[in-house]
Amino acid sequence: KTQPFVARPDHGTTGAYSAWPALALEALCRMGEWEFATELFHNFSVATLEGPFGQAHGIPQQQTSPYTPLDSEPVFKTTGGVNRYFEDNGGSFMDTIIRTYFGYEPPFFWGSLSSLKHTLIDPHIVRPLKGVLKNINTPLGLAAITSNET
Protein backbone atom coordinates (compact mmCIF):
# COMPACT_ATOMS: atom_id res chain seq x y z
CA LYS A 1 0.00 0.00 0.00
CA THR A 2 1.38 3.41 -0.92
CA GLN A 3 1.39 6.30 1.51
CA PRO A 4 -0.31 9.58 0.51
CA PHE A 5 1.75 12.58 -0.48
CA VAL A 6 1.68 15.23 2.26
CA ALA A 7 2.38 18.71 0.91
CA ARG A 8 3.05 20.28 4.31
CA PRO A 9 6.75 21.10 4.44
CA ASP A 10 7.07 20.98 8.25
CA HIS A 11 5.73 17.51 8.99
CA GLY A 12 5.02 15.00 6.31
CA THR A 13 6.50 13.09 3.44
CA THR A 14 8.74 15.97 2.38
CA GLY A 15 10.01 17.53 5.59
CA ALA A 16 11.00 17.25 9.23
CA TYR A 17 10.69 19.28 12.43
CA SER A 18 13.66 21.60 12.85
CA ALA A 19 14.18 21.58 16.63
CA TRP A 20 14.49 17.83 17.17
CA PRO A 21 18.30 17.60 16.77
CA ALA A 22 18.94 20.10 19.58
CA LEU A 23 16.24 18.66 21.82
CA ALA A 24 17.59 15.14 21.24
CA LEU A 25 21.00 16.35 22.44
CA GLU A 26 19.44 17.86 25.53
CA ALA A 27 17.56 14.64 26.29
CA LEU A 28 20.76 12.60 25.94
CA CYS A 29 22.58 14.95 28.34
CA ARG A 30 19.78 14.74 30.89
CA MET A 31 20.09 10.94 30.71
CA GLY A 32 23.80 11.25 31.49
CA GLU A 33 25.01 10.57 27.95
CA TRP A 34 27.15 13.72 27.78
CA GLU A 35 29.97 12.22 25.72
CA PHE A 36 27.64 10.75 23.08
CA ALA A 37 25.54 13.94 22.91
CA THR A 38 28.62 16.11 22.50
CA GLU A 39 29.95 13.84 19.74
CA LEU A 40 26.60 14.14 17.94
CA PHE A 41 26.65 17.89 18.43
CA HIS A 42 29.99 18.09 16.64
CA ASN A 43 28.81 15.73 13.90
CA PHE A 44 25.70 17.83 13.25
CA SER A 45 27.92 20.61 11.96
CA VAL A 46 28.43 18.73 8.68
CA ALA A 47 24.69 18.78 8.00
CA THR A 48 24.49 22.50 8.74
CA LEU A 49 26.77 23.26 5.79
CA GLU A 50 23.49 23.21 3.85
CA GLY A 51 21.97 25.65 6.33
CA PRO A 52 20.23 25.05 9.64
CA PHE A 53 18.30 21.87 10.25
CA GLY A 54 14.93 22.88 9.03
CA GLN A 55 11.38 22.27 8.30
CA ALA A 56 11.20 21.50 4.61
CA HIS A 57 14.64 20.01 4.50
CA GLY A 58 12.81 17.84 2.09
CA ILE A 59 13.51 15.27 -0.54
CA PRO A 60 11.84 15.98 -3.86
CA GLN A 61 9.45 13.20 -4.76
CA GLN A 62 6.72 12.46 -7.23
CA GLN A 63 3.41 14.00 -6.23
CA THR A 64 1.43 11.11 -7.63
CA SER A 65 1.53 7.44 -6.77
CA PRO A 66 3.98 5.75 -6.13
CA TYR A 67 5.38 8.94 -4.46
CA THR A 68 8.96 7.81 -4.99
CA PRO A 69 11.93 10.11 -4.36
CA LEU A 70 13.43 11.93 -7.29
CA ASP A 71 16.95 10.71 -6.58
CA SER A 72 18.57 12.95 -9.17
CA GLU A 73 17.28 16.08 -7.39
CA PRO A 74 19.07 17.54 -4.32
CA VAL A 75 17.34 17.99 -1.00
CA PHE A 76 15.91 21.46 -0.48
CA LYS A 77 14.84 23.94 2.15
CA THR A 78 12.08 26.41 1.54
CA THR A 79 11.40 29.57 3.52
CA GLY A 80 7.75 29.98 2.65
CA GLY A 81 4.58 28.73 4.23
CA VAL A 82 4.97 27.50 7.78
CA ASN A 83 8.76 27.35 7.57
CA ARG A 84 10.87 29.55 9.73
CA TYR A 85 13.66 27.07 10.13
CA PHE A 86 16.38 29.64 10.80
CA GLU A 87 14.64 30.83 13.96
CA ASP A 88 13.39 27.41 15.05
CA ASN A 89 16.74 25.76 14.58
CA GLY A 90 18.98 28.51 15.88
CA GLY A 91 16.75 29.10 18.88
CA SER A 92 16.58 25.45 19.79
CA PHE A 93 20.35 25.00 19.64
CA MET A 94 20.94 28.15 21.69
CA ASP A 95 18.43 26.93 24.28
CA THR A 96 20.26 23.60 24.46
CA ILE A 97 23.68 25.23 24.79
CA ILE A 98 22.57 27.70 27.45
CA ARG A 99 20.25 25.40 29.41
CA THR A 100 22.16 22.14 29.16
CA TYR A 101 25.83 22.91 28.63
CA PHE A 102 25.88 25.99 30.88
CA GLY A 103 23.06 24.84 33.16
CA TYR A 104 21.21 28.17 33.09
CA GLU A 105 17.43 28.28 33.09
CA PRO A 106 15.97 31.52 34.40
CA PRO A 107 12.40 31.58 35.65
CA PHE A 108 9.67 32.87 33.39
CA PHE A 109 8.77 35.43 36.07
CA TRP A 110 11.64 36.61 38.24
CA GLY A 111 9.68 37.82 41.25
CA SER A 112 11.80 38.89 44.19
CA LEU A 113 15.13 37.17 44.64
CA SER A 114 18.40 37.73 46.39
CA SER A 115 20.49 35.15 44.53
CA LEU A 116 20.76 33.61 41.09
CA LYS A 117 21.53 30.11 42.42
CA HIS A 118 17.99 28.87 41.73
CA THR A 119 18.48 29.63 38.02
CA LEU A 120 21.18 26.96 37.68
CA ILE A 121 20.37 23.35 36.78
CA ASP A 122 22.61 20.88 38.61
CA PRO A 123 25.43 23.40 39.15
CA HIS A 124 27.89 20.75 40.41
CA ILE A 125 27.53 18.37 37.45
CA VAL A 126 30.57 17.88 35.25
CA ARG A 127 29.81 19.20 31.77
CA PRO A 128 31.99 18.48 28.73
CA LEU A 129 32.24 22.12 27.78
CA LYS A 130 34.84 24.67 28.69
CA GLY A 131 33.59 28.21 28.30
CA VAL A 132 32.11 31.31 29.83
CA LEU A 133 28.64 32.69 29.13
CA LYS A 134 29.02 36.43 29.78
CA ASN A 135 26.80 39.48 30.13
CA ILE A 136 23.64 37.64 31.16
CA ASN A 137 21.13 40.37 31.96
CA THR A 138 19.31 39.60 35.24
CA PRO A 139 17.34 41.67 37.78
CA LEU A 140 20.45 41.56 39.97
CA GLY A 141 22.68 42.95 37.22
CA LEU A 142 24.96 41.30 34.70
CA ALA A 143 26.12 37.78 35.44
CA ALA A 144 28.51 35.23 33.97
CA ILE A 145 28.48 31.42 34.09
CA THR A 146 31.65 29.38 33.75
CA SER A 147 31.35 25.83 32.52
CA ASN A 148 34.30 23.47 32.53
CA GLU A 149 35.17 19.82 32.54
CA THR A 150 35.86 19.65 36.29
Side-chain angles (χ1 to χ4, degrees):
K1 182 176 178 180
T2 61
Q3 297 296 316
F5 176 78
V6 178
R8 269 188 69 157
D10 57 341
H11 294 286
T13 56
T14 62
Y17 182 59
S18 61
W20 80 259
L23 297 177
L25 293 176
E26 185 169 352
L28 286 168
C29 290
R30 289 185 183 237
M31 293 186 308
E33 297 292 335
W34 288 90
E35 187 175 321
F36 180 54
T38 303
E39 181 182 342
L40 280 177
F41 195 11
H42 290 288
N43 290 339
F44 284 167
S45 66
V46 175
T48 62
L49 294 175
E50 299 173 2
F53 285 96
Q55 297 179 15
H57 192 162
I59 300 171
Q61 67 185 58
Q62 293 180 12
Q63 295 187 21
T64 58
S65 184
Y67 308 107
T68 55
L70 302 173
D71 293 333
S72 61
E73 298 292 323
V75 296
F76 65 92
K77 293 183 183 186
T78 66
T79 57
V82 295
N83 297 305
R84 297 296 175 258
Y85 69 92
F86 282 105
E87 293 85 357
D88 292 345
N89 182 262
S92 63
F93 271 101
M94 282 312 303
D95 281 348
T96 295
I97 292 166
I98 292 169
R99 186 173 46 238
T100 305
Y101 284 91
F102 282 99
Y104 179 64
E105 187 168 30
F108 192 72
F109 295 107
W110 285 94
S112 60
L113 60 123
S114 58
S115 168
L116 297 175
K117 288 184 180 186
H118 73 284
T119 66
L120 299 177
I121 303 168
D122 299 323
H124 302 293
I125 197 167
V126 176
R127 292 177 163 85
L129 172 79
K130 185 177 181 182
V132 180
L133 183 61
K134 296 180 180 180
N135 299 318
I136 305 167
N137 194 5
T138 76
L140 298 178
L142 293 178
I145 298 172
T146 300
S147 180
N148 55 41
E149 298 168 334
T150 59

Short mmCIF file of all heavy atoms in Angstrom, two decimals, residues 2 6-7 10 17 19 24 31-32 41-43 47 58 60 65 74 82 92 95-97 102 112 120 132 136:
data_model
loop_
_atom_site.label_atom_id
_atom_site.label_comp_id
_atom_site.label_asym_id
_atom_site.label_seq_id
_atom_site.Cartn_x
_atom_site.Cartn_y
_atom_site.Cartn_z
N THR A 2 0.59 2.17 -0.87
CA THR A 2 1.38 3.41 -0.92
C THR A 2 0.84 4.42 0.07
O THR A 2 -0.34 4.45 0.39
CB THR A 2 1.34 4.02 -2.33
OG1 THR A 2 0.00 4.33 -2.67
CG2 THR A 2 1.94 3.07 -3.36
N VAL A 6 2.06 14.16 1.34
CA VAL A 6 1.68 15.23 2.26
C VAL A 6 2.44 16.48 1.87
O VAL A 6 3.67 16.51 1.94
CB VAL A 6 1.98 14.84 3.72
CG1 VAL A 6 1.61 15.97 4.66
CG2 VAL A 6 1.23 13.57 4.09
N ALA A 7 1.74 17.50 1.43
CA ALA A 7 2.38 18.71 0.91
C ALA A 7 2.88 19.66 1.99
O ALA A 7 3.54 20.63 1.69
CB ALA A 7 1.40 19.44 -0.01
N ASP A 10 6.52 21.11 6.90
CA ASP A 10 7.07 20.98 8.25
C ASP A 10 6.99 19.56 8.79
O ASP A 10 7.90 19.09 9.42
CB ASP A 10 6.41 21.97 9.20
CG ASP A 10 4.90 21.81 9.27
OD1 ASP A 10 4.32 21.20 8.36
OD2 ASP A 10 4.32 22.30 10.25
N TYR A 17 10.70 18.24 11.42
CA TYR A 17 10.69 19.28 12.43
C TYR A 17 12.10 19.75 12.73
O TYR A 17 13.01 18.96 12.91
CB TYR A 17 10.02 18.75 13.69
CG TYR A 17 9.90 19.74 14.80
CD1 TYR A 17 9.22 20.94 14.64
CD2 TYR A 17 10.50 19.48 16.02
CE1 TYR A 17 9.11 21.85 15.67
CE2 TYR A 17 10.41 20.39 17.06
CZ TYR A 17 9.71 21.57 16.87
OH TYR A 17 9.62 22.46 17.89
N ALA A 19 13.57 21.50 15.30
CA ALA A 19 14.18 21.58 16.63
C ALA A 19 14.59 20.23 17.19
O ALA A 19 15.28 20.18 18.20
CB ALA A 19 13.21 22.25 17.60
N ALA A 24 17.06 16.50 21.05
CA ALA A 24 17.59 15.14 21.24
C ALA A 24 18.91 15.20 22.01
O ALA A 24 19.15 14.38 22.90
CB ALA A 24 17.78 14.45 19.90
N MET A 31 20.00 12.36 30.38
CA MET A 31 20.09 10.94 30.71
C MET A 31 21.51 10.55 31.09
O MET A 31 21.80 9.38 31.32
CB MET A 31 19.60 10.08 29.54
CG MET A 31 18.12 10.24 29.27
SD MET A 31 17.47 9.11 28.01
CE MET A 31 18.56 9.33 26.63
N GLY A 32 22.43 11.52 31.11
CA GLY A 32 23.80 11.25 31.49
C GLY A 32 24.71 10.87 30.34
O GLY A 32 25.88 10.53 30.56
N PHE A 41 26.68 16.44 18.62
CA PHE A 41 26.65 17.89 18.43
C PHE A 41 27.72 18.31 17.41
O PHE A 41 27.45 19.07 16.49
CB PHE A 41 26.88 18.56 19.78
CG PHE A 41 26.53 20.01 19.84
CD1 PHE A 41 25.84 20.66 18.84
CD2 PHE A 41 26.90 20.75 20.94
CE1 PHE A 41 25.51 22.00 18.92
CE2 PHE A 41 26.59 22.10 21.04
CZ PHE A 41 25.90 22.72 20.03
N HIS A 42 28.91 17.79 17.59
CA HIS A 42 29.99 18.09 16.64
C HIS A 42 29.68 17.54 15.25
O HIS A 42 29.94 18.19 14.24
CB HIS A 42 31.32 17.55 17.14
CG HIS A 42 31.85 18.28 18.33
ND1 HIS A 42 32.37 19.54 18.27
CD2 HIS A 42 31.93 17.91 19.63
CE1 HIS A 42 32.75 19.94 19.48
NE2 HIS A 42 32.48 18.97 20.32
N ASN A 43 29.13 16.34 15.19
CA ASN A 43 28.81 15.73 13.90
C ASN A 43 27.70 16.45 13.16
O ASN A 43 27.65 16.42 11.93
CB ASN A 43 28.44 14.25 14.08
CG ASN A 43 29.64 13.42 14.48
OD1 ASN A 43 30.79 13.80 14.28
ND2 ASN A 43 29.38 12.27 15.08
N ALA A 47 26.01 18.58 8.61
CA ALA A 47 24.69 18.78 8.00
C ALA A 47 24.34 20.25 7.88
O ALA A 47 23.63 20.65 6.95
CB ALA A 47 23.62 18.06 8.81
N GLY A 58 13.55 18.93 2.71
CA GLY A 58 12.81 17.84 2.09
C GLY A 58 13.55 17.16 0.96
O GLY A 58 14.56 17.64 0.47
N PRO A 60 12.83 15.90 -2.78
CA PRO A 60 11.84 15.98 -3.86
C PRO A 60 11.32 14.59 -4.20
O PRO A 60 12.06 13.61 -4.23
CB PRO A 60 12.64 16.56 -5.03
CG PRO A 60 13.82 17.21 -4.40
CD PRO A 60 14.12 16.43 -3.16
N SER A 65 1.11 8.80 -7.10
CA SER A 65 1.53 7.44 -6.77
C SER A 65 2.54 6.94 -7.79
O SER A 65 2.36 7.20 -8.99
CB SER A 65 0.29 6.53 -6.74
OG SER A 65 0.66 5.24 -6.34
N PRO A 74 18.53 17.35 -5.67
CA PRO A 74 19.07 17.54 -4.32
C PRO A 74 17.97 17.85 -3.31
O PRO A 74 16.88 18.29 -3.68
CB PRO A 74 19.99 18.74 -4.49
CG PRO A 74 19.41 19.50 -5.64
CD PRO A 74 18.81 18.47 -6.56
N VAL A 82 4.83 27.59 6.33
CA VAL A 82 4.97 27.50 7.78
C VAL A 82 6.43 27.37 8.20
O VAL A 82 6.73 27.09 9.34
CB VAL A 82 4.18 26.29 8.33
CG1 VAL A 82 2.70 26.49 8.11
CG2 VAL A 82 4.64 24.99 7.69
N SER A 92 16.55 26.71 19.05
CA SER A 92 16.58 25.45 19.79
C SER A 92 18.00 25.07 20.17
O SER A 92 18.24 24.58 21.27
CB SER A 92 15.90 24.33 18.99
OG SER A 92 16.58 24.07 17.78
N ASP A 95 19.05 27.40 23.03
CA ASP A 95 18.43 26.93 24.28
C ASP A 95 19.19 25.75 24.85
O ASP A 95 19.45 25.68 26.05
CB ASP A 95 16.97 26.52 24.05
CG ASP A 95 16.04 27.70 24.00
OD1 ASP A 95 16.45 28.82 24.34
OD2 ASP A 95 14.87 27.50 23.59
N THR A 96 19.54 24.79 24.00
CA THR A 96 20.26 23.60 24.46
C THR A 96 21.63 23.97 25.00
O THR A 96 22.04 23.48 26.06
CB THR A 96 20.39 22.58 23.32
OG1 THR A 96 19.08 22.12 22.98
CG2 THR A 96 21.26 21.40 23.72
N ILE A 97 22.35 24.83 24.32
CA ILE A 97 23.68 25.23 24.79
C ILE A 97 23.58 25.95 26.13
O ILE A 97 24.30 25.63 27.08
CB ILE A 97 24.38 26.11 23.75
CG1 ILE A 97 24.72 25.27 22.51
CG2 ILE A 97 25.64 26.75 24.33
CD1 ILE A 97 25.11 26.09 21.30
N PHE A 102 25.54 25.02 29.84
CA PHE A 102 25.88 25.99 30.88
C PHE A 102 25.00 25.82 32.12
O PHE A 102 25.30 26.37 33.16
CB PHE A 102 25.77 27.43 30.35
CG PHE A 102 26.94 27.83 29.51
CD1 PHE A 102 26.85 27.79 28.13
CD2 PHE A 102 28.14 28.22 30.08
CE1 PHE A 102 27.93 28.15 27.33
CE2 PHE A 102 29.22 28.59 29.30
CZ PHE A 102 29.12 28.54 27.91
N SER A 112 10.74 38.31 43.35
CA SER A 112 11.80 38.89 44.19
C SER A 112 12.83 37.81 44.50
O SER A 112 12.48 36.68 44.84
CB SER A 112 11.22 39.46 45.48
OG SER A 112 10.59 38.44 46.21
N LEU A 120 20.22 27.94 38.20
CA LEU A 120 21.18 26.96 37.68
C LEU A 120 20.63 25.54 37.83
O LEU A 120 20.11 25.16 38.86
CB LEU A 120 22.51 27.08 38.41
CG LEU A 120 23.22 28.42 38.28
CD1 LEU A 120 24.49 28.44 39.12
CD2 LEU A 120 23.53 28.73 36.82
N VAL A 132 32.74 30.33 28.96
CA VAL A 132 32.11 31.31 29.83
C VAL A 132 30.97 31.97 29.07
O VAL A 132 31.15 32.43 27.94
CB VAL A 132 33.11 32.39 30.31
CG1 VAL A 132 32.42 33.40 31.21
CG2 VAL A 132 34.29 31.75 31.02
N ILE A 136 25.02 38.10 31.02
CA ILE A 136 23.64 37.64 31.16
C ILE A 136 22.89 38.72 31.94
O ILE A 136 23.23 39.03 33.08
CB ILE A 136 23.56 36.30 31.92
CG1 ILE A 136 24.44 35.25 31.24
CG2 ILE A 136 22.12 35.84 32.04
CD1 ILE A 136 24.68 34.03 32.09
#
